[in-house]
């Protein structure tokens, strides 16, 4: 995380309590049982140019399904539809 975010990017950080929700998700656990997805994630983790690889992998339906699942957990859609007061 530290190599991807600087202290100038606090709005891009996910609170620890929301990250813990990822570990509790049965849907996410199911996706992570897929060996192809696990290999994609390992490749991204080990890559020097993560940004380019992420752009490539966001064309992979399985990776997009994984990313969408993570986002639904940490940013539920109900909050997206609420207008600020």
């Amino acid at each position: 995380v530290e190599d991807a975010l600087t202290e100038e990017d606090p709005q891009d950080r996910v609170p620890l309590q929301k990250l813990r929700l990822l570990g509790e998700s049965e849907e996410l656990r199911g996706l992570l049982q897929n060996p192809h997805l696990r290999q994609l994630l390992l490749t991204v983790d080990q890559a020097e140019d993560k940004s380019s690889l992420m752009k490539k992998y966001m064309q992979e339906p399985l990776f997009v399904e994984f990313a969408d699942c993570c986002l639904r957990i940490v940013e539920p859609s109900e909050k997206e539809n609420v207008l600020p007061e």
Side-chain angles (χ1 to χ4, degrees), residues 37-48 50 53 57:
L37 176 60
R38 291 171 68 149
Q39 184 58 51
L40 292 175
L41 294 172
L42 185 60
T43 303
V44 169
D45 185 54
Q46 296 173 346
E48 286 187 32
K50 293 178 185 351
L53 198 55
Y57 284 177

Side-chain angles (χ1 to χ4, degrees), residues 11-64:
Q11 72 276 8
D12 291 335
R13 295 178 189 251
V14 177
L16 186 57
Q17 67 190 94
K18 287 194 173 195
L19 289 177
R20 287 188 178 125
L21 294 174
L22 294 171
E24 299 170 7
S25 170
E26 291 298 324
E27 179 184 8
L28 187 56
R29 285 183 192 183
L31 287 172
L32 289 171
Q33 290 181 5
N34 184 307
H36 180 61
L37 176 60
R38 291 171 68 149
Q39 184 58 51
L40 292 175
L41 294 172
L42 185 60
T43 303
V44 169
D45 185 54
Q46 296 173 346
E48 286 187 32
D49 187 5
K50 293 178 185 351
S51 179
S52 294
L53 198 55
M54 288 291 290
K55 288 178 185 175
K56 176 183 173 186
Y57 284 177
M58 287 306 289
Q59 303 303 310
E60 286 261 352
L62 180 59
F63 194 85
V64 171

Side-chain angles (χ1 to χ4, degrees), residues 79-85:
K79 291 183 180 178
E80 293 175 1
N81 295 326
V82 175
L83 294 174
E85 294 180 20

Side-chain angles (χ1 to χ4, degrees), residues 57-74:
Y57 284 177
M58 287 306 289
Q59 303 303 310
E60 286 261 352
L62 180 59
F63 194 85
V64 171
E65 184 179 358
F66 166 76
D68 287 346
C69 179
C70 291
L71 287 173
R72 280 192 306 272
I73 294 166
V74 298

